[in-house]
Amino acid sequence: MATIGDIGVAAGFNILGAFIFLLAFAILRLQPLNDRVYFPKWYLRNLRTDPTTSGAFVSKFVNLDFRSYIRFLNWVPDALKMPEPALIEHAGLDSAVYLRIYLIGLKIFVPIAFLAWAILVPLNWTNITLEHEGKIIHRISGVDKLSIANIPVGSQRFWGHVAMAYAFTFWTCYVLRKEYETVALMRLQFLASEKRRPDQFTVLVRNVPPDPDESTWELAEHFFLFNHPDQYLTHQVVYDANKLYKLVKKKKNLQNWLVYYENKYNRNSSQRPFMKTGFLGLWGKKVDAIDHHVSEIEKLSEEISVERERIAGTPKSKSIMPAAFVSFRSRWGAAVCAQTQQSKNQTIWLTEWAPEPCDVYWRNLAIPYVSLTVRWLVVAVAFFFLTFFSMIPIAFVQSLATIEGIEKAAPFLRDAVGMDFVKSVIQGFLPGIALKLFLIVLQTILTIMSKFEGSISLSSLDRRTATRYYIFNFVNVFLGSIIAGSAFEQLNSFFHQPAKEIPKTIGVAIPMRATFFVTYIMVDGWLGLAGEILMWKPLIFYHLKNFFLVKTEKDRCEAADPGSLGFNTGEPIIQFYFLLGLVHATMTPIILPFIIIFFSLAYIVFRHQIINVYNQEYENAAAFWPDVHGRVITSLVISQVLLMGLLSTKQATQSTPTLIALPVLTIWFHWYFCKGRYESAFEAMMKDTLERAKEPNLNLKEYLQNAYEHPVFKASEDEEDDEINDDGWENESVIVPTKHQPRRINTPVPSKISGASSSSLPEAVQELPQP
């Protein structure tokens, strides 16, 4: 086990690395050449101009204002000074609530760390159990003496750990309840203050049964006119337009090249640009570039017209899927339809709430509904094998990242790794790096699984990926690292022992593996956050694209596109730190200060990124919060069960049974005080009444009839390329009116971040329901 000195060396390396990254960021963000990389959100909203387009030649690339370098740390107060209501209007409720997860970490762990270090650390340290232990597997260090492992068998001191377990549980539940109440109120306020959205009136109907006499369009209309005569308004059938999208994407690329060659010709009108028609323009017939691209675009336009006619030209088109977006006259009517069974046959006319148009993952709407169950089963089996078989290579990598593993694999390095400094680096730094590198490709694999499974919206795709990522982290990073440790052979005994013995095995191993998780927090948390704000990968890729691939201003904007916040992988990583903190709080409190530093730094870094960098793809009004709350509760229950397992091996026969009530109370608290009380969304009937009073002449059918039309059909042939998103046609870009200056945001009209003020709440939603 690593010593406190090894942890100090690892902390020194990570603090130095983080400082270098943060200093590099503070300097690079001031350079005009990097302005689009570090402030892309403001460019997307047309609120920032490119500094490289004006001024002296040198000043276009290097910031010559030396006074700005004195204020290079101003990004920290700038990130913190924007109040939460302004942040919600600027970035949306999803982003603002995502930041609150870091604040919850601070609210939970700062008091817990104070109690643990004031009570549990003295209880552990003042024993001499490990020093008199006759059979010790691991080398004793100061870290061991700070853990529960230093308490003798059957000691009455375990009552202190039991009391602290209750205190930590009650405090965590109190914070979670207050935060759930706050987020629920924010959600109600946001939904009550925003303008109408198509998804509030629309449901997605799937598995429409075939009819020999009627098309899907006619059948859907007749069915809902008969079953919902007072509420049905209009509907749009779902098309399989994947082939059309490829043609549109190809045309978009050709139009971009055409703009490039036209700009080139305008700069030098004495010579027409030429190109070769072969592979990458390296060989083939030499032709006039402008004429060639005009001709190719005309051919593609004809193909697109033919394909559009084939898809939507006839009611019996084979491209029409047995699904439709059905819109109603009121939110109440849509809610009734979405939550009720439409037919005696439970396999047809299946309804669910429609995602908002920019949240729809159009590619998966073309998947037949009958194949979704098969896809779900395939993904479940694949994820099971991915999760449990990954434990073997992770354990192997972890074994090589220790002194014993290196000496065993490479005996000739024994003398080198025996040096104190090298030993400290290996034990305090290498294990975290090895695990981090192994998990790099995991995010992509899990996202591909969720897409294959058939998620119909980007938000559900993100939430499913996040759930799998959390499970994978728990099984492999947490359990795998604890059980495997430095001995690869321990896995065999773990897999073959009775299930009731697993909590005991894990509980005993946790204090001995605390230093590994400390190094993991420093590498993944501290150094990782510094790398996040430095954005070294987007920075390099932007300049490479700008030098080799950018042909037009549109290309330059796409090269600097930062993407979205990444809830699918970011939230499970945060939850892993909650798990580590809650599990180690009563066993090895030394880990808590490192987790507090992570949450503090992460809050500042991601607040800056949300304000200046990341641009949301969709807005779900914090609908992900029940998942966040549920995973923290899960971590709390896991910590209680593992503590019971550990105390049972310490022969604490009197204190251990008192812990049995904790998991029961925690689960009861989750279901009764939080899930049952705060999970309701908003009152649809009240919203409809208010809207009819304010806009009695509203033509809702005109507003909804094309809201869920496939993006490839929305624009005219000359403009459709600008309406298509490269990754699945999820987004459209419009100007959103607000109380502040005009801004561009990737969301369809009407905007989720409307000009309606979020500072006041209608009286009807001022109070949450009481039990």
Side-chain angles (χ1 to χ4, degrees):
M1 184 175 182
T3 64
I4 293 180
D6 298 334
I7 294 177
V9 172
F13 269 99
N14 285 282
I15 291 174
L16 179 62
F19 176 77
I20 293 174
F21 280 9
L22 291 174
L23 183 62
F25 160 73
I27 295 175
L28 290 173
R29 67 187 288 270
L30 299 175
Q31 310 310 314
L33 195 63
N34 303 322
D35 203 59
R36 285 182 178 269
V37 178
Y38 292 111
F39 301 96
K41 193 167 190 173
W42 302 101
Y43 282 94
L44 289 173
R45 300 183 177 188
N46 289 333
L47 296 177
R48 197 177 182 95
T49 57
D50 195 340
T52 63
T53 59
S54 62
F57 178 77
V58 177
S59 63
K60 293 180 179 181
F61 305 98
V62 180
N63 188 348
L64 300 178
D65 183 8
F66 294 101
R67 292 173 298 179
S68 62
Y69 293 96
I70 300 176
R71 305 186 301 269
F72 70 96
L73 289 179
N74 278 4
W75 67 271
V76 176
D78 288 344
L80 296 175
K81 70 181 181 181
M82 180 180 285
E84 190 169 64
L87 182 66
I88 293 174
E89 187 173 359
H90 173 72
L93 185 62
D94 282 345
S95 299
V97 171
Y98 181 85
L99 287 174
R100 295 191 70 90
I101 305 177
Y102 296 108
L103 289 180
I104 291 178
L106 293 175
K107 291 177 182 178
I108 290 176
F109 289 115
V110 170
I112 285 179
F114 176 79
L115 285 176
W117 278 82
I119 299 175
L120 295 183
V121 169
L123 279 178
N124 299 335
W125 180 264
T126 53
N127 281 280
I128 56 174
T129 302
L130 292 178
E131 296 179 2
H132 290 82
E133 202 52 63
K135 298 179 181 179
I136 298 177
I137 300 177
H138 297 272
R139 180 165 56 91
I140 294 176
S141 68
V143 177
D144 295 311
K145 296 179 181 180
L146 293 174
S147 72
I148 197 174
N150 201 33
I151 303 293
V153 173
S155 173
Q156 293 297 312
R157 296 193 177 202
F158 287 121
W159 282 107
H161 296 81
V162 172
M164 287 298 98
Y166 271 90
F168 296 165
T169 297
F170 290 155
W171 173 250
T172 302
C173 290
Y174 172 77
V175 173
L176 288 176
R177 180 187 175 279
K178 296 296 292 184
E179 201 63 30
Y180 213 137
E181 181 179 4
T182 300
V183 172
L185 188 62
M186 292 170 64
R187 175 175 167 81
L188 287 171
Q189 178 176 346
F190 184 81
L191 292 172
S193 62
E194 71 169 350
K195 293 183 179 180
R196 73 184 69 87
R197 296 189 323 199
D199 57 296
Q200 297 171 355
F201 300 87
T202 307
V203 300
L204 174 62
V205 184
R206 310 185 77 172
N207 223 26
V208 177
D211 189 285
D213 300 321
E214 292 185 316
S215 65
T216 300
W217 196 96
E218 295 168 333
L219 187 62
E221 182 182 38
H222 295 163
F223 179 85
F224 285 97
L225 278 174
F226 180 80
N227 290 281
H228 300 269
D230 298 328
Q231 292 294 330
Y232 168 76
L233 183 63
T234 185
H235 73 283
Q236 294 163 280
V237 294
V238 175
Y239 296 96
D240 180 0
N242 291 338
K243 181 180 178 181
L244 178 60
Y245 165 71
K246 294 178 181 178
L247 293 175
V248 171
K249 184 178 179 181
K250 185 177 179 181
K251 180 181 176 182
K252 171 185 176 181
N253 184 52
L254 290 176
Q255 286 182 326
N256 201 42
W257 275 105
L258 177 60
V259 172
Y260 166 71
Y261 285 117
E262 288 177 340
N263 291 339
K264 185 177 180 180
Y265 178 68
N266 290 335
R267 288 192 297 267
N268 184 13
S269 57
S270 62
Q271 184 178 1
R272 298 276 293 185
F274 287 89
M275 61 170 288
K276 294 181 179 180
T277 57
F279 178 72
L280 295 178
L282 299 178
W283 58 74
K285 183 180 179 182
K286 191 174 182 180
V287 297
D288 184 287
I290 295 178
D291 293 341
H292 174 75
H293 281 88
V294 169
S295 175
E296 291 296 316
I297 290 172
E298 290 177 352
K299 293 178 183 178
L300 270 178
S301 297
E302 294 178 1
E303 292 183 39
I304 289 172
S305 298
V306 172
E307 181 65 16
R308 287 163 68 118
E309 182 65 24
R310 185 190 69 82
I311 293 174
T314 59
K316 292 285 188 177
S317 171
K318 294 182 179 180
S319 296
I320 298 178
M321 305 302 297
F325 290 100
V326 181
S327 298
F328 294 83
R329 299 181 185 276
S330 66
R331 297 169 180 83
W332 176 259
V336 170
C337 181
Q339 300 175 39
T340 55
Q341 183 176 320
Q342 303 300 310
S343 172
K344 293 181 180 179
N345 186 345
Q346 299 182 9
T347 63
I348 60 175
W349 297 107
L350 305 176
T351 58
E352 59 183 292
W353 277 109
E356 60 174 331
C358 71
D359 189 20
V360 177
Y361 191 69
W362 293 97
R363 293 176 185 270
N364 282 357
L365 285 178
I367 299 175
Y369 186 82
V370 293
S371 69
L372 292 180
T373 303
V374 178
R375 285 171 173 261
W376 177 88
L377 182 61
V378 170
V379 170
V381 173
F383 179 67
F384 174 83
F385 284 104
L386 173 68
T387 301
F388 287 94
F389 280 90
S390 293
M391 186 177 289
I392 297 175
I394 286 179
F396 178 72
V397 170
Q398 290 300 319
S399 69
L400 293 181
T402 60
I403 298 295
E404 296 83 0
I406 293 177
E407 289 178 348
K408 183 178 180 180
F412 59 90
L413 295 176
R414 184 168 301 169
D415 294 336
V417 299
M419 300 171 61
D420 291 341
F421 178 75
V422 175
K423 189 189 320 182
S424 297
V425 172
I426 292 174
Q427 292 187 326
F429 188 70
L430 192 58
I433 286 289
L435 182 58
K436 184 67 176 177
L437 292 176
F438 186 86
L439 297 176
I440 287 179
V441 298
L442 177 65
Q443 303 174 7
T444 303
I445 294 174
L446 295 181
T447 301
I448 292 174
M449 282 186 172
S450 297
K451 290 181 178 179
F452 177 80
E453 188 180 19
S455 299
I456 62 168
S457 66
L458 297 174
S459 55
S460 63
L461 191 153
D462 283 347
R463 288 199 291 270
R464 292 186 184 185
T465 303
T467 300
R468 294 191 177 99
Y469 199 105
Y470 177 78
I471 295 173
F472 187 94
N473 272 343
F474 173 71
V475 174
N476 287 282
V477 182
F478 183 70
L479 297 184
S481 298
I482 288 175
I483 299 303
S486 61
F488 183 66
E489 294 79 9
Q490 291 183 23
L491 279 177
N492 184 60
S493 61
F494 174 69
F495 282 123
H496 289 85
Q497 65 181 328
K500 65 180 182 180
E501 298 296 321
I502 292 178
K504 297 181 181 180
T505 304
I506 299 173
V508 172
I510 285 174
M512 298 300 178
R513 291 295 291 165
T515 52
F516 163 75
F517 289 116
V518 169
T519 62
Y520 179 79
I521 291 170
M522 288 188 290
V523 172
D524 180 72
W526 300 5
L527 196 60
L529 287 171
E532 160 69 28
I533 199 168
L534 177 61
M535 299 179 62
W536 60 273
K537 286 194 296 186
L539 180 67
I540 294 173
F541 289 156
Y542 169 74
H543 287 299
L544 288 176
K545 291 178 180 178
N546 197 32
F547 187 79
F548 293 105
L549 301 178
V550 168
K551 303 176 292 296
T552 64
E553 185 63 25
K554 184 179 180 181
D555 286 343
R556 185 169 288 104
C557 292
E558 293 176 352
D561 183 14
S564 59
L565 185 60
F567 174 85
N568 56 339
T569 54
E571 190 270 343
I573 293 175
I574 304 173
Q575 293 294 342
F576 185 68
Y577 287 100
F578 276 102
L579 176 64
L580 292 180
L582 292 172
V583 168
H584 286 86
T586 52
M587 299 183 187
T588 320
I590 191 176
I591 202 173
L592 295 178
F594 297 90
I595 291 178
I596 291 172
I597 293 174
F598 163 77
F599 279 116
S600 302
L601 183 60
Y603 178 74
I604 298 173
V605 166
F606 279 100
R607 215 173 197 274
H608 172 275
Q609 299 295 82
I610 285 173
I611 292 173
N612 298 300
V613 179
Y614 293 126
N615 198 40
Q616 62 186 34
E617 289 184 284
Y618 55 84
E619 176 61 63
N620 264 0
F624 60 82
W625 189 255
D627 296 336
V628 174
H629 175 88
R631 282 193 266 271
V632 177
I633 291 291
T634 300
S635 299
L636 190 59
V637 173
I638 290 172
S639 69
Q640 297 159 355
V641 172
L642 294 182
L643 180 61
M644 284 191 289
L646 174 60
L647 293 184
S648 65
T649 65
K650 292 283 190 175
Q651 299 180 14
T653 55
Q654 294 181 341
S655 55
T656 303
T658 59
L659 289 173
I660 296 176
L662 269 184
V664 178
L665 291 174
T666 303
I667 296 173
W668 174 73
F669 158 80
H670 169 63
W671 282 97
Y672 180 76
F673 281 98
C674 295
K675 188 176 179 66
R677 180 180 297 189
Y678 299 121
E679 218 172 74
S680 60
F682 68 107
E683 293 292 336
M685 182 69 77
M686 179 204 68
K687 185 75 172 179
D688 291 331
T689 303
L690 291 175
E691 190 171 81
R692 282 195 295 267
K694 291 181 179 180
E695 301 178 72
N697 298 322
L698 172 66
N699 188 346
L700 194 59
K701 184 172 184 179
E702 182 180 353
Y703 171 70
L704 292 171
Q705 64 182 358
N706 294 320
Y708 285 93
E709 188 177 12
H710 200 293
V712 293
F713 300 122
K714 279 192 174 183
S716 64
E717 292 188 3
D718 294 333
E719 299 175 350
E720 65 187 352
D721 294 296
D722 293 331
E723 301 290 329
I724 309 302
N725 178 275
D726 284 340
D727 191 37
W729 328 306
E730 294 92 349
N731 304 312
E732 295 173 54
S733 186
V734 299
I735 301 296
V736 179
T738 69
K739 293 187 298 182
H740 300 301
Q741 301 178 40
R743 59 185 64 172
R744 287 180 65 85
I745 181 170
N746 283 350
T747 178
V749 173
S751 169
K752 307 164 291 288
I753 311 171
S754 65
S757 174
S758 59
S759 59
S760 62
L761 184 67
E763 294 180 2
V765 297
Q766 282 287 350
E767 296 183 2
L768 294 173
Q770 299 297 322

